[in-house]
Amino acid sequence: HTEENVENLVIGSGYGGAVAALRLTQAGKKVVMLEMGLDWEKEGGKYKPFSNLITPKNNSTWLKKSTQAPMMNIAHFNKKFTGVLDRMDYENIKVYAGRGVGGGSLVNGGMAVQPKKSYFKEIFPNLNVDEFWDNYFPLAKKELQVNEIPEDYYAQTPYYKFARVGESEAHKAGFETVRVPNVYSFDYMKKEEADEVPKSALAKEVIYGNNHGKQSLEKTYIKKAIQTGLLHINDLHRVNYFQETENGYAVFVDVIDTEGLVVAKKTISCKNLFLNAGSIGTTKLLLTSRYKGKMNNFDASLGSDWGNNGNIMTGRNMVNTLFNRVENEATNTNHTTGTGSKQSTIPVSGIDNWEDKEHSFFAEISPLPMGVEVYTALYLVINKVPTPGTISYDPSVNDIQINWEKKNYKHTVENAKYFIKKMNKANGGTPAGLLWKGAYGPDICYHPLGGAVLGKTTDLYGRVKGYKNLYITDGALVPASIGVNPFLTITAIAEYCMKEIIKNDYSVSTK
Ligand code: FDA
């Protein structure tokens, strides 16, 4: 057991943690960051290369002996490993998260989507929306190196046939579509296709990590923070809980090895504590600390307003469209069938049905890169969460439970059914029952949000109510849904909070 003392401690290295680390170090502050997953860059990247979707190794999966993808898990491993993608299974909901320095940025699709202004306003009624549109979203986009797919490339590459087909089918069904910016470098992708560089997005790499091309956080925010010389990252450090001390907080940490076994215990004392373990991780730390660390001053809202961003995965089996189209082709209508045997893993288009008040949704046109034509269209549909769930702590198992029932996701299933029905009516096809029982996956959550919400559990700048020098700047701040893929919003909110925190809470101690 060792004891350490630091000034500024950041728990978690996803979007919230990365922004906190950069802005603190740029303000001249020393920062220690704790991350339960691996630093994938350390020792020359010895735990890489990351796995692709088709032949995953044990570095694909967080401490389980088989892959835990939303579908088609056939790979088994001899040994558990602190792999990059975690799935946390709760009753009625399976929550995915990235593990390692960079958090979700290591495993996500890179879609950098700005929410609808009106919905942002609805979700955050106390924030100055124009300030976000003028300052924080542009800043987040710049730092995250967001770029857009060039139209001429999109129009002709075989790797985006799935998206072009998805768009044209959506139009045929009367839906509007949008092109979506991304942090994956499209210059790099073009070079992949031209065989000038090693392939990544075009070689089925994404949810188990990208080896090239994606500007994940270790290449943007975290890299910049390291360059200040003031950031120290401890990987394989899993925080259990914390408690208040005279001068700040004592944080109780398990140091683990790559098989997940505890090899050391540490108590790290700090003055300023930044919780950025993601929606589930941060809420769990707070609830565990209330129980074990006797932190009884948290606001009563802690654990409420949790949601899955209205996530539901669904798909369409296009085999019967094949027969229709073969007929069409025979009559020379020049239709091509299916979504293509070559597919980029990086989504770039979406179906925007947000303005339809009865069925508001945003559907990401997702790839299903199996290397062969599978005649299947895949979508991640994002919805409002009118009835959020809650998270509570269960001392008997020392874990949280997510209280998430049919009432919380009923409307997402209804919206997805409406969407698929309309698509099939216009284009042919059947709900993709081969992917999931019943063809809909309302229990698959890629976008956990909330649990310690801005303006409720914290003040309007991420300061935890009831305590001093205790902050949250991650997805836990966003109540239940934001209507689009969330990391751009999480980054923008973290930037906004950190600006205020550094300006006001650090101004005295700098003197
Ligand atoms: P995030 O989860 O990123 O970071 C938290 C970090 O804290 C993790 O590194 C974790 O290991 C660490 N941690 C947790 N508990 C800890 C503890 N007790 N001790 C120490 N460390 C701890 N979004 C989007 O906008 N566009 C997209 O295309 C996608 N696609 C996508 C695909 C997949 C497969 C997933 C799983 C997710 C997405 N997302 C996405 C969602 C996006 O990645 C997610 O919203 C953000 O990563 C959340 O950022 P946070 O900073 O809140 O937490």
Side-chain angles (χ1 to χ4, degrees):
H1 193 127
T2 53
E3 306 219 350
E4 292 169 21
N5 203 333
V6 305
E7 179 92 357
N8 302 295
L9 190 67
V10 175
I11 301 173
S13 62
Y15 294 90
V19 173
L22 178 63
R23 298 312 172 199
L24 285 165
T25 52
Q26 282 183 333
K29 306 289 158 197
K30 273 192 180 168
V31 173
V32 171
M33 179 183 253
L34 306 180
E35 167 56 51
M36 71 193 267
L38 273 165
D39 176 354
W40 294 92
E41 301 305 308
K42 74 177 176 189
E43 297 171 55
K46 76 170 188 181
Y47 298 108
K48 297 210 287 186
F50 289 123
S51 296
N52 64 35
L53 290 170
I54 309 295
T55 53
K57 302 166 297 200
N58 67 355
N59 71 351
S60 64
T61 304
W62 179 257
L63 299 176
K64 302 242 172 65
K65 283 197 168 177
S66 62
T67 55
Q68 305 288 310
M71 62 194 117
M72 291 181 264
N73 291 298
I74 42 172
H76 290 268
F77 321 119
N78 293 330
K79 248 189 190 177
K80 288 183 190 173
F81 188 78
T82 47
V84 73
L85 182 66
D86 191 7
R87 192 181 84 189
M88 296 166 273
D89 292 3
Y90 300 99
E91 211 184 338
N92 301 325
I93 192 130
K94 302 182 183 89
V95 184
Y96 285 87
R99 297 283 173 242
V101 173
S105 80
L106 297 167
V107 300
N108 67 32
M111 293 172 80
V113 199
Q114 198 158 331
K116 296 276 174 193
K117 205 170 181 178
S118 56
Y119 194 52
F120 184 90
K121 224 175 197 162
E122 195 179 315
I123 292 291
F124 293 112
N126 297 317
L127 297 188
N128 180 339
V129 192
D130 292 329
E131 211 185 338
F132 271 82
W133 255 249
D134 294 345
N135 300 332
Y136 299 113
F137 277 110
L139 175 62
K141 280 186 185 165
K142 188 180 119 234
E143 295 286 3
L144 292 168
Q145 300 184 25
V146 173
N147 69 156
E148 286 177 31
I149 190 164
E151 192 57 47
D152 57 342
Y153 178 62
Y154 180 81
Q156 53 76 26
T157 172
Y159 289 95
Y160 281 106
K161 178 184 171 186
F162 78 92
R164 296 192 300 270
V165 167
E167 285 187 357
S168 83
E169 287 189 329
H171 296 157
K172 216 170 153 197
F175 292 118
E176 283 175 25
T177 60
V178 289
R179 214 60 58 69
V180 173
N182 205 289
V183 299
Y184 197 94
S185 161
F186 292 108
D187 280 343
Y188 189 89
M189 197 186 286
K190 281 162 80 174
K191 289 188 188 140
E192 287 178 50
E193 191 169 344
D195 265 332
E196 292 167 12
V197 292
K199 285 192 173 60
S200 180
L202 303 192
K204 307 178 188 70
E205 293 174 1
V206 61
I207 60 170
Y208 304 138
N210 278 86
N211 291 302
H212 314 278
K214 188 158 76 171
Q215 298 301 100
S216 32
L217 289 167
E218 82 285 2
K219 297 187 187 128
T220 59
Y221 275 96
I222 292 173
K223 186 177 175 188
K224 268 190 163 177
I226 290 172
Q227 281 167 352
T228 64
L230 295 172
L231 175 62
H232 183 79
I233 303 176
N234 286 322
D235 70 343
L236 301 178
H237 277 51
R238 188 178 56 205
V239 177
N240 290 322
Y241 70 101
F242 58 93
Q243 67 188 30
E244 202 180 16
T245 61
E246 230 172 82
N247 307 316
Y249 301 93
V251 176
F252 303 101
V253 184
D254 284 345
V255 185
I256 58 173
D257 65 14
T258 54
E259 288 179 58
L261 299 170
V262 179
V263 291
K265 289 199 170 269
K266 280 188 185 175
T267 304
I268 305 179
S269 299
C270 64
K271 178 168 176 246
N272 304 300
L273 181 57
F274 293 82
L275 306 175
N276 287 298
S279 160
I280 300 288
T282 291
T283 309
K284 180 173 166 173
L285 281 175
L286 289 161
L287 289 168
T288 311
S289 302
R290 182 165 71 189
Y291 183 79
K292 289 189 168 178
K294 311 261 178 305
M295 308 262 311
N296 293 316
N297 296 347
F298 294 134
D299 189 78
S301 61
L302 174 60
S304 64
D305 285 302
W306 187 84
N308 64 347
N309 205 19
N311 279 186
I312 177 166
M313 228 177 240
T314 185
R316 291 170 44 241
N317 182 336
M318 303 161 93
V319 171
N320 71 348
T321 69
L322 168 67
F323 294 117
N324 295 342
R325 298 258 171 100
V326 169
E327 254 173 51
N328 287 340
E329 273 162 26
T331 54
N332 235 345
T333 51
N334 199 21
H335 254 106
T336 53
T337 51
T339 49
S341 57
K342 291 181 170 180
Q343 297 193 18
S344 167
T345 56
I346 297 300
V348 292
S349 31
I351 297 163
D352 181 354
N353 202 48
W354 203 255
E355 299 311 324
D356 176 347
K357 293 287 167 262
E358 228 175 292
H359 301 284
S360 292
F361 65 81
F362 177 82
E364 165 190 324
I365 299 173
S366 307
L368 189 56
M370 303 307 293
V372 291
E373 176 60 74
V374 287
Y375 297 105
T376 304
L378 190 67
Y379 311 93
L380 176 68
V381 186
I382 298 171
N383 295 276
K384 296 184 180 181
V385 180
T387 312
T390 59
I391 299 183
S392 49
Y393 178 74
D394 180 352
S396 69
V397 289
N398 183 30
D399 201 356
I400 51 164
Q401 63 187 38
I402 302 182
N403 309 299
W404 189 252
E405 293 158 29
K406 205 160 193 171
K407 65 171 193 258
N408 305 106
Y409 60 83
K410 200 171 136 253
H411 74 289
T412 68
V413 181
E414 282 164 8
N415 271 359
K417 283 189 174 161
Y418 165 83
F419 165 59
I420 293 294
K421 207 170 156 190
K422 230 175 140 180
M423 289 293 275
N424 285 340
K425 198 167 171 208
N427 300 288
T430 52
L434 281 178
L435 296 179
W436 300 282
K437 225 174 88 196
Y440 299 94
D443 58 345
I444 298 164
C445 173
Y446 274 4
H447 302 160
L449 293 171
V453 164
L454 192 77
K456 289 187 176 175
T457 306
T458 71
D459 75 356
L460 282 180
Y461 299 96
R463 298 180 184 100
V464 176
K465 287 181 187 168
Y467 292 92
K468 258 187 143 175
N469 305 332
L470 181 62
Y471 307 96
I472 299 169
T473 63
D474 66 7
L477 293 176
V478 182
S481 99
I482 195 64
V484 290
N485 314 58
F487 76 61
L488 191 67
T489 303
I490 294 170
T491 307
I493 288 176
E495 287 283 14
Y496 146 88
C497 290
M498 287 311 298
K499 190 173 175 193
E500 163 75 14
I501 291 164
I502 285 168
K503 194 169 132 215
N504 282 302
D505 302 19
Y506 279 83
S507 58
V508 183
S509 59
T510 46
K511 277 169 199 156

